[in-house]
Amino acid sequence: ENRLAAGREIFRIECAACHSIGGPLNDILPLTKNIPVLGVDALLNGQGKLSDYMPPFFGTDRERWALASYITEELHGSRTTPPAFEPSDTVTKIPRFAMQESEYVLLAWNNLGMHCISDSDPWFVILPPANDLHAQLIRRGETPEVVEQGVELSYAVEEGFEHPEDAVPFWQYARQTFEVELEPGVGLSGNRVSGTMQLDDTQGVFRATMIPVVPYRNGRFNPYPLFTIEARDTETGELLASTRAVAPTSTEMGCQRCHGGGWRVDDVAGITDATAIAILTAHDKRSGTDLLARARQGEPRLCQSCHADPILAADGDPDRLNLSAAIHGWHANYLSDRGAEACTFCHPAGRDGITRCLRGGHSRNLDCSYCHGTLEDHALSLLKPEYAAGKPSAARLMEHLRARTAASVDEINPRLPWLNQPDCLTCHQDFSRPDRATASAFNVWTSGADELYRNRSDESELLQCQACHGSTHATYPTYSDHFGADRDNIQPLQYQGNRRPIGAAGNCKVCHTIDMEDSIHHENMERLD
């Protein structure tokens, strides 16, 4: 109740010796102008760490928040209000499937579960519009067959998402940021939001990569674009099977929560010019770069042109930190001791958020830290190999970070972003359900890309894990109805009338035409349910 009064008193005790309010002595007003309360709190949290011209804040977390609130609310008259955005409650149509008649089952999925893009192209680019769709066609029978030949698989986005080039400025700046000339609406792999999928015969999977879909439908924010996927006989053109799948994409990246500038679209998503300018101003000040001046001259940069990043196969500058280590390492110094909440400040993963990046079966009982660790742990795991490589900036970012999930920094295992990730089998040993009270996948990483859940196959090496279990962070059943119920659960409902993984609870006859007693998909399981 006395938050602002307490903040006023803390300012008098800790800040007034060096900072005036509207006076000549390091006036606090221009120094904190347009910075939201979380941004001021983060600056206070980071004092005495990466910048030692100010001493560390002396006080509790609540006292620090009171001071930040006093500066933003009383001195600047700024208050954060929840968005008034009301998502559309669209009815999700479930395609028809007749168990007794249908010869084929078509499984399709987005391999990442959520792809975030930075629609700040005139200023900088972190990630471009680039979703992937994967699919496998199964011919049903006593021994089902994965069909690879004699078929063509196509995909088409739903109405309202057909022209991403009208929604974001990516195509206007692709030459500067990616050094390619692209026709409007064509993605970095040559695909559009509708087209034909290509067979990867090493895994029996049809793919359409880097589809340039964006989260704007008729000018409104919608991070769950639906695609219709069809399989047809290449000789006759006969429709063999059809299904629908989302290719989720979001611009609910939380940069503005600290850097200010507000949201660009619907007061819930998109990076505004003001936010982008604030980010580049901070980067130039801290790193001695001239990114803002170059952007104003029409030369925005791709972050990965300096910072290596496996997700874009970008080598970057070998003397600089890779992008994930740099971003997480820097911000961990300003957002420490906040648990999983720190993840949701930047990533759209909050339970009460609009996008709901984490919305699968784990979202009901677990948060980001169960697999990825706290922000401090996550940052340390990324910084350790950079430190071992002799990059001095890694030591600087690590100096004030303390392990949270692990007992010490020494016990945190190093990893590379996107390649060394938490392993499902750390918790689900022998494909069993873990004890929720002790479950943790942090600090045990996959050895490389082939062990990632999104690239793994079942024990028979025929079906992809995601084909039956759903996408990363959105495993069946999913829980997000903001933009229409069950947009992620379409295929379980289509093929077996429930939201569980395909074939679960004795639903083997989705693909098998006879009752099954044992599973070749998970050989160590004692029961199929």
Side-chain angles (χ1 to χ4, degrees):
E1 295 179 0
N2 69 335
R3 176 170 49 90
L4 297 183
R8 188 184 309 113
E9 182 66 10
I10 293 168
F11 184 90
R12 184 186 66 81
I13 295 172
E14 291 204 38
C15 309
C18 297
H19 293 283
S20 63
I21 301 174
L25 181 63
N26 294 323
D27 187 0
I28 195 68
L29 296 180
L31 295 174
T32 55
K33 183 181 180 181
N34 298 326
I35 302 178
V37 62
L38 178 59
V40 175
D41 184 67
L43 286 172
L44 294 169
N45 194 180
Q47 283 181 192
K49 296 178 182 177
L50 301 181
S51 299
D52 56 7
Y53 63 88
M54 292 180 66
F57 175 78
F58 183 76
T60 66
D61 292 349
R62 293 180 66 189
E63 290 168 338
R64 190 184 68 229
W65 186 259
L67 174 57
S69 299
Y70 165 71
I71 292 172
T72 56
E73 294 183 24
E74 186 161 315
L75 297 187
H76 289 287
S78 174
R79 286 174 171 78
T80 302
T81 57
F85 178 70
E86 294 185 3
S88 59
D89 189 17
T90 306
V91 175
T92 302
K93 296 181 180 179
I94 308 300
R96 180 179 178 273
F97 175 74
M99 185 76 72
Q100 302 302 321
E101 305 169 13
S102 298
E103 184 179 355
Y104 295 92
V105 168
L106 179 59
L107 304 176
W109 64 94
N110 167 256
N111 65 329
L112 292 178
M114 179 59 65
H115 175 68
C116 288
I117 71 171
S118 50
D119 56 347
S120 52
D121 301 83
W123 306 99
F124 62 86
V125 174
I126 300 176
L127 286 172
N131 277 58
D132 294 350
L133 280 176
H134 296 204
Q136 287 190 287
L137 180 65
I138 314 298
R139 180 182 286 114
R140 303 176 67 227
E142 293 187 13
T143 303
E145 173 193 357
V146 177
V147 181
E148 301 180 22
Q149 304 300 323
V151 295
E152 179 180 272
L153 269 63
S154 64
Y155 65 95
V157 76
E158 66 181 317
E159 177 275 327
F161 291 99
E162 302 99 329
H163 296 288
E165 67 273 19
D166 295 338
V168 298
F170 167 74
W171 284 269
Q172 301 172 38
Y173 297 93
R175 180 188 61 78
Q176 294 93 326
T177 53
F178 286 92
E179 300 181 349
V180 293
E181 295 286 350
L182 294 174
E183 292 183 19
V186 176
L188 289 169
S189 68
N191 285 321
R192 293 182 179 270
V193 292
S194 297
T196 303
M197 307 179 81
Q198 302 300 314
L199 174 66
D200 177 353
D201 54 13
T202 63
Q203 294 182 313
V205 178
F206 288 85
R207 310 184 196 276
T209 61
M210 305 186 86
I211 301 169
V213 65
V214 300
Y216 302 124
R217 184 180 192 184
N218 299 324
R220 300 294 309 281
F221 180 66
N222 186 325
Y224 293 100
L226 263 178
F227 284 76
T228 297
I229 298 91
E230 295 183 343
R232 292 183 179 272
D233 187 294
T234 53
E235 291 187 5
T236 66
E238 177 190 358
L239 179 64
L240 305 177
S242 176
T243 192
R244 305 177 81 196
V246 291
T249 184
S250 181
T251 51
E252 192 191 341
M253 301 174 73
C255 308
Q256 62 88 25
R257 291 190 174 99
C258 287
H259 292 277
W263 298 108
R264 189 168 72 86
V265 178
D266 281 337
D267 198 28
V268 294
I271 299 176
T272 64
D273 290 347
T275 301
I277 290 171
I279 292 170
L280 293 186
T281 299
H283 193 290
D284 289 345
K285 178 181 178 180
R286 301 296 188 186
S287 302
T289 51
D290 61 348
L291 297 178
L292 181 56
R294 295 182 65 168
R296 282 178 166 155
Q297 293 170 5
E299 291 294 331
R301 297 295 299 277
L302 173 70
C303 298
Q304 289 88 337
S305 62
C306 289
H307 299 278
D309 191 0
I311 195 64
L312 291 183
D315 295 331
D317 182 342
D319 294 327
R320 299 180 188 271
L321 298 177
N322 69 57
L323 185 62
S324 290
I327 290 179
H328 292 96
W330 181 271
H331 290 92
N333 281 275
Y334 289 92
L335 295 171
S336 56
D337 296 312
R338 299 171 194 257
E341 182 186 27
C343 308
T344 65
F345 292 150
C346 302
H347 298 275
R351 287 190 175 96
D352 56 350
I354 302 299
T355 299
R356 292 291 301 275
C357 179
L358 175 61
R359 61 195 182 280
H362 296 95
S363 64
R364 286 294 178 92
N365 303 293
L366 308 177
D367 58 42
C368 309
S369 65
Y370 281 81
C371 292
H372 300 283
T374 64
L375 178 55
E376 297 95 319
D377 296 328
H378 188 69
L380 286 166
S381 70
L382 293 165
L383 287 166
K384 288 186 77 172
E386 303 291 84
Y387 176 79
K391 299 180 182 181
S393 50
R396 179 183 174 221
L397 296 184
M398 292 174 64
E399 181 180 357
H400 296 284
L401 298 181
R402 301 291 178 265
R404 296 294 184 267
T405 306
S408 68
V409 173
D410 290 340
E411 292 187 17
I412 293 180
N413 294 321
R415 69 183 190 88
L416 296 177
W418 297 101
L419 300 177
N420 309 131
Q421 296 281 24
D423 190 336
C424 305
L425 298 180
T426 300
C427 292
H428 296 277
Q429 296 180 15
D430 294 332
F431 308 102
S432 62
R433 290 186 178 181
D435 182 348
R436 291 173 181 168
T438 59
S440 174
F442 174 72
N443 218 26
V444 180
W445 315 125
T446 56
S447 62
D450 58 331
E451 290 188 3
L452 297 173
Y453 168 64
R454 61 187 172 92
N455 294 330
R456 247 186 187 146
S457 62
D458 65 355
E459 296 290 285
S460 71
E461 299 185 354
L462 295 173
L463 290 176
Q464 295 289 287
C465 297
Q466 291 189 329
C468 295
H469 288 275
S471 301
T472 306
H473 298 150
T475 53
Y476 303 132
T478 61
Y479 303 97
S480 180
D481 296 340
H482 282 165
F483 296 87
D486 290 315
R487 286 172 84 85
D488 278 299
N489 294 320
I490 288 176
Q491 287 164 63
L493 290 170
Q494 175 184 3
Y495 295 124
Q496 59 194 29
N498 62 48
R499 296 169 177 83
R500 299 187 64 176
I502 305 296
N507 281 289
C508 303
K509 284 191 174 180
V510 169
C511 295
H512 297 264
T513 54
I514 59 173
D515 291 323
M516 304 298 295
E517 295 182 1
D518 300 306
S519 171
I520 67 166
H521 306 293
H522 302 307
E523 291 182 353
N524 294 325
M525 290 182 65
E526 296 181 2
R527 295 174 57 86
L528 294 179
D529 58 354

